Every structure is written in structure tokens, then in C-alpha cells.
Amino acid sequence: MKTDFIIVGNGLAGSLLAWNLLQFEKKVVIIDEFNNTAASQVSAGIFLPITGRRIVRTWMADELLAEVKTLFTELGKLNGETYLHEMPVVEIPASVKEWNEWQQRASSPDISKYISRFLEPNAIESINCPYGAIELKNSGYLNISKCVNFLRKLYLDKEILIEEKFNFANLQYSDKINYKDVKADKIIFCEGAEGVNNPFFNYLPFQLSKGEILTISCNTLSEKQILNHGIFILPIGNQLFRVGSTYEWNDLTTNTTESARNNLNEKLQAVLKTDFEIIEHKAGIRPSVKERRPFIGMHPKHKNIGIFNGLGTKGVMLAPYFSKHFAWHLAHEKPLMADVDIARFS
Ligand SMILES: Cc1cc2nc3c(=O)[nH]c(=O)nc-3n(C[C@H](O)[C@H](O)[C@H](O)COP(=O)(O)OP(=O)(O)OC[C@H]3O[C@@H](n4cnc5c(N)ncnc54)[C@H](O)[C@@H]3O)c2cc1C
């Protein structure tokens, strides 16, 4: 079988890179071993333009958001599904100090444009919010697993996805790439957290982090907003909510732990005035990067071996824009942005 590109991995990164290359009428063969603990299967999928405790605008927020909305709306239309759910994120400060920080940061136009309104103390039913709350816009969540699994089915139907574990022992590379009976011009690795074991790219500064996430059922919480109080509480329909996530850098297994469950449970009890029931608990590994920029580009020595990885905690925001950006580079030699090009490490 002959193709232009082999893509290893059909998570958010690989499936969207394949999608964009197919739009350029390139031939693609994807090799993926389905794993229900892969980040894209476990993830909450939240996107929002403001990051972290310091209340800063997410890097390239507006450019990234535009691609998020266009691509996932387009993919949803293909089979009449909704993958992207736009809804406010409501930040619940833990102290007067935090509330004041929000007020102060709101004086910057960079931040104020993403704030819909400030809410009075105790304005939200079923929630402890004694200092008030801040409602953000241009936010929501992507049902990542549903979207990625739709693309998986599409690629299986087109007979361009091979379901198996990629084995480096079978890879031959010189001018051309040969993998078993597939001959390609280039191979691109999109292995998520497994990328740390890739012999071509294990020099890149990954900083993997484990995340654990619960699904709870709760009859009294509003399903129209995502709450953030150190943990996210995200409505997914039928009075179910995803709650997470924890951060852990030492235990990089995908086993769920009692300590993470207790931690999330305690935080939930502190913020919810109402009863809830835990019905699921999952863990996955985020393919995070020390300096929080994706890994994109071709190997410094092997020019037909590339990588698209390092989406970290922001897969939903980064993947649409940068899968398209990389596809332009691969299909039409458009230069890569220096901030994301792995040439920055050579
Ligand atoms: C608990 C948790 C919560 C998260 N919450 C959010 C959030 O709210 N918002 C957000 O934007 N991001 C979030 N993320 C991060 C987001 O999920 C990731 O950035 C994104 O899913 C990474 O996609 P990926 O395709 O790079 O990796 P993955 O999803 O891990 O996909 C890699 C694929 O490659 C396959 N693979 C790897 N090696 C091989 C091989 N040798 N052979 C065959 N197949 C292989 C794997 O099986 C998998 O299918 C979260 C992650 C976790 C774990």
C-alpha cells in the first residue's frame, strides 16, 4: 500500500492532523491501538480563554478559539451530532483576596472582554459562593472522546486506519518510509503521553502529568454552566457532571487512586450544598511540556520523521489550529511558527 503520510496515534492530535491532510487531498494511513485510558478518551475537554490563578489570557486565545469553533462545528455537521458545547465557565473565588484579584484584572481589556458579569455573593443556587462569582464567556467543552471516536469510525470506513500497536522494529527509514506493507513519504508520530518512549523524540522536554476525573450524578445543579472552584464541575447531560481534575507528576500509571477520589470528593463537598453520587472514576496522562508549547515538526536528522504532540492541558484549544498549521507545512511547505517548531531544541 502506498501513501503520502503514516500517522501513528488517533487521539485528538493524530485524528485532526489526518483530517487536515485529507482536506489537502493527501493520502494518509493511520496506525492506532485503541486505549480507553488515552488522554482523549478520559479528558474533560474544557476550553476557556483565561488561564490559571494569575488570571492571564491564554496564549493566542482568539486565533485558537476561532479554529475550535469552526472545526468542531464542521465535524458535528457531518453526522448531525454536537461535539462542541459552548457555555459559560463560572469562577468561584475561594477568598476576598481572590475576588479582589478578579476585579483588578478585569480593568485590563485583555481580560474584561472574556468576562460576562460579576455575580453577588451566594447568587448561585446549590453552591457555596460567599465571595461572589465571575461568569466568563467564549468557553465550554468538547466531547473529545465522541469526536475522536467519530473520526476513528470514518477512517475505518475509508479503510485508512489500521488498528494495531506500532512496533519500531518494523520501521525502515531512509529516503522513504516502509512499515510492514505500507510505503510512505513521511511518518508523523502523534502518540500522546507514549511519545516519551519514542526513540526519535525522547530528547524533547515532556513533563507528563496524571489526571483523575470523576463522573457524579446530582439532581439540583444547573446544567447550563461549568463551575470552577479549584476543580471543574462540568454538565454532560441527564444530571451527570464530570469533576476534575487532579495533577500528579510521579505516579504516571493510569490506575485510579483512593487519594485522588478523596481529594475530589472533599472539594466537591466544600463547594456543593447538595447531595451527589460518584458513579465513575477514571485516570489518564496528559502529554504536557515543560514550557507549555506543542511539539511540532520534523526530526533534525531524519527529515521524513515528524511529531505532533505536547498538547498538554489544552488539547482542545491547541489541536484545531496547530493540526491545520502543521498540515499546511507538510502539504505546502508553509514555514512552522518558531514557538512550536521542535527545531527550538536542536
Ligand atoms: C484527566 C484529564 C483531563 C483533561 N482535561 C482537559 C480539558 O479539560 N481541556 C483540554 O483541552 N485538555 C484536557 N486534557 C488534555 C487533553 O486530553 C490532551 O491534550 C489531548 O487529548 C492529547 O491528545 P493526543 O492525541 O496528543 O494524545 P492521546 O489522546 O493520548 O492519543 C494518543 C493515541 O496514540 C495511540 N498510541 C500511542 N502509542 C501508540 C503505538 N505505539 N501504537 C499505536 N497507537 C499508539 C494511543 O493509544 C492513543 O490512541 C485532559 C487530560 C486528562 C488526562
Side-chain angles (χ1 to χ4, degrees), residues 9-13 31-33 35 38-40 42-46 144 164-166 190-192 194 211 245 284-287 311-316:
N10 191 65
L12 194 62
I31 301 172
D32 179 84
E33 184 182 47
N35 172 359
S40 304
V42 173
S43 179
I46 294 165
I144 303 191
E164 65 178 42
K165 187 173 175 64
F166 180 88
C190 308
E191 305 153 282
E194 286 294 322
S245 317
I285 311 296
R286 303 176 187 92
L311 298 180
T313 57
K314 293 206 172 352
V316 176

PDB file of all heavy atoms in Angstrom, residues 9-13 31-33 35 38-40 42-46 144 164-166 190-192 194 211 245 284-287 311-316, ligand 1:
ATOM      1  N   GLY A   9      -1.066   7.085  15.914  1.00  0.00           N
ATOM      2  CA  GLY A   9      -1.873   7.643  17.004  1.00  0.00           C
ATOM      3  C   GLY A   9      -3.107   8.336  16.457  1.00  0.00           C
ATOM      4  O   GLY A   9      -3.007   9.195  15.582  1.00  0.00           O
ATOM      5  N   ASN A  10      -4.263   7.933  16.965  1.00  0.00           N
ATOM      6  CA  ASN A  10      -5.520   8.563  16.542  1.00  0.00           C
ATOM      7  C   ASN A  10      -6.240   9.169  17.749  1.00  0.00           C
ATOM      8  O   ASN A  10      -7.434   8.996  17.940  1.00  0.00           O
ATOM      9  CB  ASN A  10      -6.413   7.540  15.823  1.00  0.00           C
ATOM     10  CG  ASN A  10      -7.593   8.194  15.141  1.00  0.00           C
ATOM     11  OD1 ASN A  10      -7.428   8.970  14.207  1.00  0.00           O
ATOM     12  ND2 ASN A  10      -8.801   7.908  15.612  1.00  0.00           N
ATOM     13  N   GLY A  11      -5.484   9.898  18.570  1.00  0.00           N
ATOM     14  CA  GLY A  11      -6.114  10.722  19.610  1.00  0.00           C
ATOM     15  C   GLY A  11      -6.532  12.030  18.949  1.00  0.00           C
ATOM     16  O   GLY A  11      -6.671  12.111  17.722  1.00  0.00           O
ATOM     17  N   LEU A  12      -6.707  13.056  19.767  1.00  0.00           N
ATOM     18  CA  LEU A  12      -7.114  14.358  19.215  1.00  0.00           C
ATOM     19  C   LEU A  12      -6.077  14.859  18.200  1.00  0.00           C
ATOM     20  O   LEU A  12      -6.428  15.342  17.115  1.00  0.00           O
ATOM     21  CB  LEU A  12      -7.269  15.355  20.370  1.00  0.00           C
ATOM     22  CG  LEU A  12      -7.994  16.639  20.064  1.00  0.00           C
ATOM     23  CD1 LEU A  12      -9.432  16.388  19.628  1.00  0.00           C
ATOM     24  CD2 LEU A  12      -7.995  17.556  21.289  1.00  0.00           C
ATOM     25  N   ALA A  13      -4.792  14.709  18.537  1.00  0.00           N
ATOM     26  CA  ALA A  13      -3.723  15.225  17.665  1.00  0.00           C
ATOM     27  C   ALA A  13      -3.723  14.491  16.321  1.00  0.00           C
ATOM     28  O   ALA A  13      -3.832  15.120  15.262  1.00  0.00           O
ATOM     29  CB  ALA A  13      -2.372  15.077  18.373  1.00  0.00           C
ATOM     30  N   ILE A  31      -2.106   4.482  12.071  1.00  0.00           N
ATOM     31  CA  ILE A  31      -1.922   3.249  12.862  1.00  0.00           C
ATOM     32  C   ILE A  31      -2.212   3.613  14.316  1.00  0.00           C
ATOM     33  O   ILE A  31      -1.586   4.531  14.866  1.00  0.00           O
ATOM     34  CB  ILE A  31      -0.479   2.706  12.722  1.00  0.00           C
ATOM     35  CG1 ILE A  31      -0.185   2.420  11.251  1.00  0.00           C
ATOM     36  CG2 ILE A  31      -0.285   1.458  13.597  1.00  0.00           C
ATOM     37  CD1 ILE A  31       1.249   2.059  10.961  1.00  0.00           C
ATOM     38  N   ASP A  32      -3.188   2.958  14.907  1.00  0.00           N
ATOM     39  CA  ASP A  32      -3.561   3.306  16.282  1.00  0.00           C
ATOM     40  C   ASP A  32      -4.056   2.077  17.019  1.00  0.00           C
ATOM     41  O   ASP A  32      -4.849   1.301  16.497  1.00  0.00           O
ATOM     42  CB  ASP A  32      -4.685   4.352  16.277  1.00  0.00           C
ATOM     43  CG  ASP A  32      -5.111   4.724  17.686  1.00  0.00           C
ATOM     44  OD1 ASP A  32      -4.452   5.600  18.293  1.00  0.00           O
ATOM     45  OD2 ASP A  32      -6.087   4.147  18.205  1.00  0.00           O
ATOM     46  N   GLU A  33      -3.557   1.939  18.237  1.00  0.00           N
ATOM     47  CA  GLU A  33      -4.092   0.887  19.109  1.00  0.00           C
ATOM     48  C   GLU A  33      -5.038   1.568  20.089  1.00  0.00           C
ATOM     49  O   GLU A  33      -4.587   2.373  20.925  1.00  0.00           O
ATOM     50  CB  GLU A  33      -2.947   0.221  19.875  1.00  0.00           C
ATOM     51  CG  GLU A  33      -3.428  -0.931  20.713  1.00  0.00           C
ATOM     52  CD  GLU A  33      -2.284  -1.548  21.509  1.00  0.00           C
ATOM     53  OE1 GLU A  33      -1.504  -0.811  22.140  1.00  0.00           O
ATOM     54  OE2 GLU A  33      -2.172  -2.775  21.495  1.00  0.00           O
ATOM     55  N   ASN A  35      -7.073   2.799  23.095  1.00  0.00           N
ATOM     56  CA  ASN A  35      -6.743   2.678  24.507  1.00  0.00           C
ATOM     57  C   ASN A  35      -7.724   3.556  25.275  1.00  0.00           C
ATOM     58  O   ASN A  35      -7.714   4.779  25.095  1.00  0.00           O
ATOM     59  CB  ASN A  35      -5.290   3.171  24.667  1.00  0.00           C
ATOM     60  CG  ASN A  35      -4.879   3.282  26.106  1.00  0.00           C
ATOM     61  OD1 ASN A  35      -5.672   3.019  27.010  1.00  0.00           O
ATOM     62  ND2 ASN A  35      -3.649   3.684  26.332  1.00  0.00           N
ATOM     63  N   ALA A  38      -6.337   6.575  27.112  1.00  0.00           N
ATOM     64  CA  ALA A  38      -5.629   7.661  26.401  1.00  0.00           C
ATOM     65  C   ALA A  38      -6.262   8.992  26.814  1.00  0.00           C
ATOM     66  O   ALA A  38      -7.466   9.047  27.103  1.00  0.00           O
ATOM     67  CB  ALA A  38      -5.756   7.462  24.894  1.00  0.00           C
ATOM     68  N   ALA A  39      -5.451  10.053  26.835  1.00  0.00           N
ATOM     69  CA  ALA A  39      -5.944  11.359  27.315  1.00  0.00           C
ATOM     70  C   ALA A  39      -7.244  11.760  26.607  1.00  0.00           C
ATOM     71  O   ALA A  39      -8.193  12.231  27.252  1.00  0.00           O
ATOM     72  CB  ALA A  39      -4.864  12.418  27.103  1.00  0.00           C
ATOM     73  N   SER A  40      -7.321  11.542  25.301  1.00  0.00           N
ATOM     74  CA  SER A  40      -8.510  11.988  24.553  1.00  0.00           C
ATOM     75  C   SER A  40      -9.766  11.198  24.928  1.00  0.00           C
ATOM     76  O   SER A  40     -10.879  11.637  24.643  1.00  0.00           O
ATOM     77  CB  SER A  40      -8.271  11.865  23.043  1.00  0.00           C
ATOM     78  OG  SER A  40      -7.133  12.581  22.668  1.00  0.00           O
ATOM     79  N   VAL A  42     -10.304  10.217  28.152  1.00  0.00           N
ATOM     80  CA  VAL A  42     -10.582  10.486  29.570  1.00  0.00           C
ATOM     81  C   VAL A  42     -10.929  11.960  29.811  1.00  0.00           C
ATOM     82  O   VAL A  42     -11.686  12.305  30.721  1.00  0.00           O
ATOM     83  CB  VAL A  42      -9.319  10.110  30.399  1.00  0.00           C
ATOM     84  CG1 VAL A  42      -9.450  10.521  31.839  1.00  0.00           C
ATOM     85  CG2 VAL A  42      -9.035   8.618  30.294  1.00  0.00           C
ATOM     86  N   SER A  43     -10.404  12.802  28.936  1.00  0.00           N
ATOM     87  CA  SER A  43     -10.399  14.248  29.144  1.00  0.00           C
ATOM     88  C   SER A  43     -11.762  14.887  29.385  1.00  0.00           C
ATOM     89  O   SER A  43     -12.780  14.434  28.856  1.00  0.00           O
ATOM     90  CB  SER A  43      -9.797  14.854  27.876  1.00  0.00           C
ATOM     91  OG  SER A  43      -9.771  16.239  27.959  1.00  0.00           O
ATOM     92  N   ALA A  44     -11.745  15.999  30.133  1.00  0.00           N
ATOM     93  CA  ALA A  44     -12.958  16.797  30.343  1.00  0.00           C
ATOM     94  C   ALA A  44     -13.264  17.638  29.098  1.00  0.00           C
ATOM     95  O   ALA A  44     -14.412  17.966  28.827  1.00  0.00           O
ATOM     96  CB  ALA A  44     -12.781  17.703  31.543  1.00  0.00           C
ATOM     97  N   GLY A  45     -12.226  18.036  28.381  1.00  0.00           N
ATOM     98  CA  GLY A  45     -12.413  18.773  27.120  1.00  0.00           C
ATOM     99  C   GLY A  45     -12.807  20.235  27.267  1.00  0.00           C
ATOM    100  O   GLY A  45     -13.335  20.845  26.340  1.00  0.00           O
ATOM    101  N   ILE A  46     -12.515  20.810  28.428  1.00  0.00           N
ATOM    102  CA  ILE A  46     -12.916  22.214  28.645  1.00  0.00           C
ATOM    103  C   ILE A  46     -12.009  23.163  27.860  1.00  0.00           C
ATOM    104  O   ILE A  46     -10.806  22.938  27.757  1.00  0.00           O
ATOM    105  CB  ILE A  46     -12.854  22.550  30.152  1.00  0.00           C
ATOM    106  CG1 ILE A  46     -13.908  21.731  30.883  1.00  0.00           C
ATOM    107  CG2 ILE A  46     -13.028  24.041  30.429  1.00  0.00           C
ATOM    108  CD1 ILE A  46     -13.751  21.686  32.372  1.00  0.00           C
ATOM    109  N   ILE A 144     -14.566  15.213  23.677  1.00  0.00           N
ATOM    110  CA  ILE A 144     -13.409  14.775  22.871  1.00  0.00           C
ATOM    111  C   ILE A 144     -13.569  13.332  22.439  1.00  0.00           C
ATOM    112  O   ILE A 144     -13.368  12.997  21.271  1.00  0.00           O
ATOM    113  CB  ILE A 144     -12.062  14.897  23.631  1.00  0.00           C
ATOM    114  CG1 ILE A 144     -11.792  16.316  24.126  1.00  0.00           C
ATOM    115  CG2 ILE A 144     -10.917  14.468  22.731  1.00  0.00           C
ATOM    116  CD1 ILE A 144     -10.375  16.519  24.646  1.00  0.00           C
ATOM    117  N   GLU A 164      -3.705  -1.427  15.375  1.00  0.00           N
ATOM    118  CA  GLU A 164      -2.670  -2.274  15.990  1.00  0.00           C
ATOM    119  C   GLU A 164      -1.638  -1.390  16.679  1.00  0.00           C
ATOM    120  O   GLU A 164      -1.584  -0.180  16.447  1.00  0.00           O
ATOM    121  CB  GLU A 164      -1.988  -3.158  14.933  1.00  0.00           C
ATOM    122  CG  GLU A 164      -1.196  -2.389  13.890  1.00  0.00           C
ATOM    123  CD  GLU A 164      -0.481  -3.302  12.889  1.00  0.00           C
ATOM    124  OE1 GLU A 164      -1.087  -4.291  12.446  1.00  0.00           O
ATOM    125  OE2 GLU A 164       0.677  -2.994  12.550  1.00  0.00           O
ATOM    126  N   LYS A 165      -0.803  -2.014  17.498  1.00  0.00           N
ATOM    127  CA  LYS A 165       0.277  -1.293  18.162  1.00  0.00           C
ATOM    128  C   LYS A 165       1.399  -1.072  17.159  1.00  0.00           C
ATOM    129  O   LYS A 165       1.791  -2.013  16.452  1.00  0.00           O
ATOM    130  CB  LYS A 165       0.775  -2.099  19.361  1.00  0.00           C
ATOM    131  CG  LYS A 165       1.773  -1.356  20.211  1.00  0.00           C
ATOM    132  CD  LYS A 165       2.083  -2.152  21.476  1.00  0.00           C
ATOM    133  CE  LYS A 165       3.168  -1.494  22.297  1.00  0.00           C
ATOM    134  NZ  LYS A 165       2.798  -0.181  22.826  1.00  0.00           N
ATOM    135  N   PHE A 166       1.908   0.138  17.055  1.00  0.00           N
ATOM    136  CA  PHE A 166       3.033   0.412  16.163  1.00  0.00           C
ATOM    137  C   PHE A 166       4.300  -0.133  16.813  1.00  0.00           C
ATOM    138  O   PHE A 166       4.575   0.136  17.982  1.00  0.00           O
ATOM    139  CB  PHE A 166       3.170   1.927  15.950  1.00  0.00           C
ATOM    140  CG  PHE A 166       4.298   2.298  15.045  1.00  0.00           C
ATOM    141  CD1 PHE A 166       4.109   2.365  13.676  1.00  0.00           C
ATOM    142  CD2 PHE A 166       5.563   2.568  15.554  1.00  0.00           C
ATOM    143  CE1 PHE A 166       5.149   2.691  12.828  1.00  0.00           C
ATOM    144  CE2 PHE A 166       6.608   2.893  14.713  1.00  0.00           C
ATOM    145  CZ  PHE A 166       6.402   2.957  13.354  1.00  0.00           C
ATOM    146  N   CYS A 190       2.021  10.850  16.639  1.00  0.00           N
ATOM    147  CA  CYS A 190       1.041  11.607  17.443  1.00  0.00           C
ATOM    148  C   CYS A 190       0.614  10.689  18.581  1.00  0.00           C
ATOM    149  O   CYS A 190      -0.557  10.329  18.707  1.00  0.00           O
ATOM    150  CB  CYS A 190      -0.181  11.970  16.595  1.00  0.00           C
ATOM    151  SG  CYS A 190       0.210  12.776  15.038  1.00  0.00           S
ATOM    152  N   GLU A 191       1.569  10.282  19.397  1.00  0.00           N
ATOM    153  CA  GLU A 191       1.324   9.199  20.370  1.00  0.00           C
ATOM    154  C   GLU A 191       0.894   9.680  21.740  1.00  0.00           C
ATOM    155  O   GLU A 191       0.805   8.876  22.665  1.00  0.00           O
ATOM    156  CB  GLU A 191       2.617   8.388  20.552  1.00  0.00           C
ATOM    157  CG  GLU A 191       3.214   7.843  19.285  1.00  0.00           C
ATOM    158  CD  GLU A 191       4.728   7.664  19.437  1.00  0.00           C
ATOM    159  OE1 GLU A 191       5.478   8.667  19.362  1.00  0.00           O
ATOM    160  OE2 GLU A 191       5.147   6.550  19.674  1.00  0.00           O
ATOM    161  N   GLY A 192       0.669  10.995  21.906  1.00  0.00           N
ATOM    162  CA  GLY A 192       0.314  11.493  23.238  1.00  0.00           C
ATOM    163  C   GLY A 192       1.405  11.160  24.237  1.00  0.00           C
ATOM    164  O   GLY A 192       2.610  11.221  23.901  1.00  0.00           O
ATOM    165  N   GLU A 194       2.603   8.505  25.269  1.00  0.00           N
ATOM    166  CA  GLU A 194       3.538   7.442  24.852  1.00  0.00           C
ATOM    167  C   GLU A 194       4.745   8.032  24.114  1.00  0.00           C
ATOM    168  O   GLU A 194       5.757   7.353  23.916  1.00  0.00           O
ATOM    169  CB  GLU A 194       2.837   6.445  23.928  1.00  0.00           C
ATOM    170  CG  GLU A 194       1.869   5.524  24.618  1.00  0.00           C
ATOM    171  CD  GLU A 194       2.569   4.565  25.572  1.00  0.00           C
ATOM    172  OE1 GLU A 194       3.671   4.089  25.254  1.00  0.00           O
ATOM    173  OE2 GLU A 194       2.005   4.331  26.647  1.00  0.00           O
ATOM    174  N   GLY A 211      -3.898  12.802  35.428  1.00  0.00           N
ATOM    175  CA  GLY A 211      -5.123  13.474  35.876  1.00  0.00           C
ATOM    176  C   GLY A 211      -6.189  12.446  36.189  1.00  0.00           C
ATOM    177  O   GLY A 211      -6.355  11.482  35.446  1.00  0.00           O
ATOM    178  N   SER A 245      -9.766  18.249  37.444  1.00  0.00           N
ATOM    179  CA  SER A 245      -9.018  17.008  37.506  1.00  0.00           C
ATOM    180  C   SER A 245      -7.868  17.208  38.480  1.00  0.00           C
ATOM    181  O   SER A 245      -7.494  18.346  38.766  1.00  0.00           O
ATOM    182  CB  SER A 245      -8.427  16.654  36.152  1.00  0.00           C
ATOM    183  OG  SER A 245      -9.328  16.869  35.112  1.00  0.00           O
ATOM    184  N   GLY A 284      -5.970   9.385  33.411  1.00  0.00           N
ATOM    185  CA  GLY A 284      -5.236   9.415  32.137  1.00  0.00           C
ATOM    186  C   GLY A 284      -3.997  10.280  32.287  1.00  0.00           C
ATOM    187  O   GLY A 284      -3.825  10.958  33.306  1.00  0.00           O
ATOM    188  N   ILE A 285      -3.136  10.249  31.272  1.00  0.00           N
ATOM    189  CA  ILE A 285      -1.879  11.012  31.342  1.00  0.00           C
ATOM    190  C   ILE A 285      -1.905  12.124  30.297  1.00  0.00           C
ATOM    191  O   ILE A 285      -2.115  11.872  29.110  1.00  0.00           O
ATOM    192  CB  ILE A 285      -0.654  10.100  31.073  1.00  0.00           C
ATOM    193  CG1 ILE A 285      -0.723   8.818  31.923  1.00  0.00           C
ATOM    194  CG2 ILE A 285       0.653  10.858  31.329  1.00  0.00           C
ATOM    195  CD1 ILE A 285      -0.646   9.003  33.407  1.00  0.00           C
ATOM    196  N   ARG A 286      -1.653  13.348  30.764  1.00  0.00           N
ATOM    197  CA  ARG A 286      -1.605  14.487  29.843  1.00  0.00           C
ATOM    198  C   ARG A 286      -0.212  14.566  29.204  1.00  0.00           C
ATOM    199  O   ARG A 286       0.797  14.514  29.925  1.00  0.00           O
ATOM    200  CB  ARG A 286      -1.849  15.806  30.588  1.00  0.00           C
ATOM    201  CG  ARG A 286      -3.152  15.873  31.350  1.00  0.00           C
ATOM    202  CD  ARG A 286      -3.205  17.190  32.125  1.00  0.00           C
ATOM    203  NE  ARG A 286      -4.369  17.240  33.005  1.00  0.00           N
ATOM    204  CZ  ARG A 286      -4.365  16.846  34.274  1.00  0.00           C
ATOM    205  NH1 ARG A 286      -3.263  16.352  34.823  1.00  0.00           N
ATOM    206  NH2 ARG A 286      -5.460  16.943  34.998  1.00  0.00           N
ATOM    207  N   PRO A 287      -0.141  14.747  27.879  1.00  0.00           N
ATOM    208  CA  PRO A 287       1.178  14.880  27.239  1.00  0.00           C
ATOM    209  C   PRO A 287       1.692  16.325  27.384  1.00  0.00           C
ATOM    210  O   PRO A 287       1.729  17.096  26.420  1.00  0.00           O
ATOM    211  CB  PRO A 287       0.889  14.512  25.779  1.00  0.00           C
ATOM    212  CG  PRO A 287      -0.548  14.861  25.579  1.00  0.00           C
ATOM    213  CD  PRO A 287      -1.238  14.760  26.906  1.00  0.00           C
ATOM    214  N   LEU A 311       0.318  18.522  23.552  1.00  0.00           N
ATOM    215  CA  LEU A 311      -0.882  19.371  23.687  1.00  0.00           C
ATOM    216  C   LEU A 311      -1.215  19.652  25.154  1.00  0.00           C
ATOM    217  O   LEU A 311      -2.012  20.543  25.451  1.00  0.00           O
ATOM    218  CB  LEU A 311      -2.082  18.727  22.984  1.00  0.00           C
ATOM    219  CG  LEU A 311      -1.920  18.522  21.469  1.00  0.00           C
ATOM    220  CD1 LEU A 311      -3.178  17.878  20.889  1.00  0.00           C
ATOM    221  CD2 LEU A 311      -1.630  19.831  20.749  1.00  0.00           C
ATOM    222  N   GLY A 312      -0.623  18.893  26.060  1.00  0.00           N
ATOM    223  CA  GLY A 312      -0.707  19.176  27.498  1.00  0.00           C
ATOM    224  C   GLY A 312      -2.126  19.283  28.014  1.00  0.00           C
ATOM    225  O   GLY A 312      -2.982  18.460  27.707  1.00  0.00           O
ATOM    226  N   THR A 313      -2.379  20.347  28.782  1.00  0.00           N
ATOM    227  CA  THR A 313      -3.692  20.523  29.416  1.00  0.00           C
ATOM    228  C   THR A 313      -4.673  21.232  28.488  1.00  0.00           C
ATOM    229  O   THR A 313      -5.820  21.462  28.846  1.00  0.00           O
ATOM    230  CB  THR A 313      -3.559  21.399  30.685  1.00  0.00           C
ATOM    231  OG1 THR A 313      -2.972  22.643  30.285  1.00  0.00           O
ATOM    232  CG2 THR A 313      -2.678  20.754  31.728  1.00  0.00           C
ATOM    233  N   LYS A 314      -4.202  21.618  27.306  1.00  0.00           N
ATOM    234  CA  LYS A 314      -5.033  22.462  26.439  1.00  0.00           C
ATOM    235  C   LYS A 314      -5.251  21.870  25.061  1.00  0.00           C
ATOM    236  O   LYS A 314      -5.216  22.570  24.040  1.00  0.00           O
ATOM    237  CB  LYS A 314      -4.364  23.837  26.297  1.00  0.00           C
ATOM    238  CG  LYS A 314      -4.329  24.638  27.564  1.00  0.00           C
ATOM    239  CD  LYS A 314      -4.266  26.098  27.237  1.00  0.00           C
ATOM    240  CE  LYS A 314      -4.424  27.007  28.420  1.00  0.00           C
ATOM    241  NZ  LYS A 314      -4.788  26.468  29.676  1.00  0.00           N
ATOM    242  N   GLY A 315      -5.473  20.559  25.025  1.00  0.00           N
ATOM    243  CA  GLY A 315      -5.651  19.901  23.731  1.00  0.00           C
ATOM    244  C   GLY A 315      -6.743  20.527  22.884  1.00  0.00           C
ATOM    245  O   GLY A 315      -6.582  20.712  21.678  1.00  0.00           O
ATOM    246  N   VAL A 316      -7.858  20.873  23.510  1.00  0.00           N
ATOM    247  CA  VAL A 316      -8.997  21.374  22.729  1.00  0.00           C
ATOM    248  C   VAL A 316      -8.666  22.709  22.070  1.00  0.00           C
ATOM    249  O   VAL A 316      -8.994  22.939  20.905  1.00  0.00           O
ATOM    250  CB  VAL A 316     -10.250  21.504  23.630  1.00  0.00           C
ATOM    251  CG1 VAL A 316     -11.411  22.120  22.862  1.00  0.00           C
ATOM    252  CG2 VAL A 316     -10.638  20.140  24.168  1.00  0.00           C
TER     253      VAL A 316
HETATM  254  C1  LIG B   1      -7.852  13.785  33.235  1.00  0.00           C
HETATM  255  C2  LIG B   1      -7.575  14.686  32.060  1.00  0.00           C
HETATM  256  C3  LIG B   1      -8.320  15.859  31.918  1.00  0.00           C
HETATM  257  C4  LIG B   1      -8.094  16.698  30.828  1.00  0.00           C
HETATM  258  N1  LIG B   1      -8.863  17.808  30.705  1.00  0.00           N
HETATM  259  C5  LIG B   1      -8.691  18.619  29.631  1.00  0.00           C
HETATM  260  C6  LIG B   1      -9.532  19.733  29.438  1.00  0.00           C
HETATM  261  O1  LIG B   1     -10.435  19.999  30.226  1.00  0.00           O
HETATM  262  N2  LIG B   1      -9.322  20.520  28.336  1.00  0.00           N
HETATM  263  C7  LIG B   1      -8.329  20.242  27.436  1.00  0.00           C
HETATM  264  O2  LIG B   1      -8.195  20.971  26.443  1.00  0.00           O
HETATM  265  N3  LIG B   1      -7.496  19.189  27.594  1.00  0.00           N
HETATM  266  C8  LIG B   1      -7.655  18.379  28.666  1.00  0.00           C
HETATM  267  N4  LIG B   1      -6.850  17.288  28.835  1.00  0.00           N
HETATM  268  C9  LIG B   1      -5.730  17.108  27.886  1.00  0.00           C
HETATM  269  C10 LIG B   1      -6.183  16.515  26.556  1.00  0.00           C
HETATM  270  O3  LIG B   1      -6.959  15.388  26.808  1.00  0.00           O
HETATM  271  C11 LIG B   1      -4.926  16.166  25.735  1.00  0.00           C
HETATM  272  O4  LIG B   1      -4.174  17.329  25.463  1.00  0.00           O
HETATM  273  C12 LIG B   1      -5.244  15.514  24.386  1.00  0.00           C
HETATM  274  O5  LIG B   1      -6.295  14.605  24.477  1.00  0.00           O
HETATM  275  C13 LIG B   1      -3.996  14.827  23.846  1.00  0.00           C
HETATM  276  O6  LIG B   1      -4.298  14.177  22.641  1.00  0.00           O
HETATM  277  P1  LIG B   1      -3.194  13.291  21.910  1.00  0.00           P
HETATM  278  O7  LIG B   1      -3.802  12.853  20.637  1.00  0.00           O
HETATM  279  O8  LIG B   1      -1.901  14.036  21.853  1.00  0.00           O
HETATM  280  O9  LIG B   1      -2.929  12.054  22.885  1.00  0.00           O
HETATM  281  P2  LIG B   1      -3.842  10.769  23.211  1.00  0.00           P
HETATM  282  O10 LIG B   1      -5.236  11.151  23.422  1.00  0.00           O
HETATM  283  O11 LIG B   1      -3.138  10.059  24.321  1.00  0.00           O
HETATM  284  O12 LIG B   1      -3.785   9.886  21.894  1.00  0.00           O
HETATM  285  C14 LIG B   1      -2.651   9.138  21.511  1.00  0.00           C
HETATM  286  C15 LIG B   1      -3.127   7.940  20.711  1.00  0.00           C
HETATM  287  O13 LIG B   1      -1.972   7.278  20.207  1.00  0.00           O
HETATM  288  C16 LIG B   1      -2.094   5.889  20.459  1.00  0.00           C
HETATM  289  N5  LIG B   1      -0.753   5.307  20.516  1.00  0.00           N
HETATM  290  C17 LIG B   1       0.304   5.704  21.273  1.00  0.00           C
HETATM  291  N6  LIG B   1       1.368   4.918  21.024  1.00  0.00           N
HETATM  292  C18 LIG B   1       0.979   4.026  20.089  1.00  0.00           C
HETATM  293  C19 LIG B   1       1.617   2.942  19.415  1.00  0.00           C
HETATM  294  N7  LIG B   1       2.911   2.598  19.649  1.00  0.00           N
HETATM  295  N8  LIG B   1       0.901   2.213  18.524  1.00  0.00           N
HETATM  296  C20 LIG B   1      -0.394   2.502  18.241  1.00  0.00           C
HETATM  297  N9  LIG B   1      -1.050   3.524  18.856  1.00  0.00           N
HETATM  298  C21 LIG B   1      -0.379   4.267  19.761  1.00  0.00           C
HETATM  299  C22 LIG B   1      -2.850   5.832  21.789  1.00  0.00           C
HETATM  300  O14 LIG B   1      -3.430   4.561  22.013  1.00  0.00           O
HETATM  301  C23 LIG B   1      -3.881   6.927  21.546  1.00  0.00           C
HETATM  302  O15 LIG B   1      -4.994   6.431  20.837  1.00  0.00           O
HETATM  303  C24 LIG B   1      -7.056  16.392  29.890  1.00  0.00           C
HETATM  304  C25 LIG B   1      -6.330  15.222  30.027  1.00  0.00           C
HETATM  305  C26 LIG B   1      -6.582  14.370  31.100  1.00  0.00           C
HETATM  306  C27 LIG B   1      -5.779  13.108  31.218  1.00  0.00           C
END
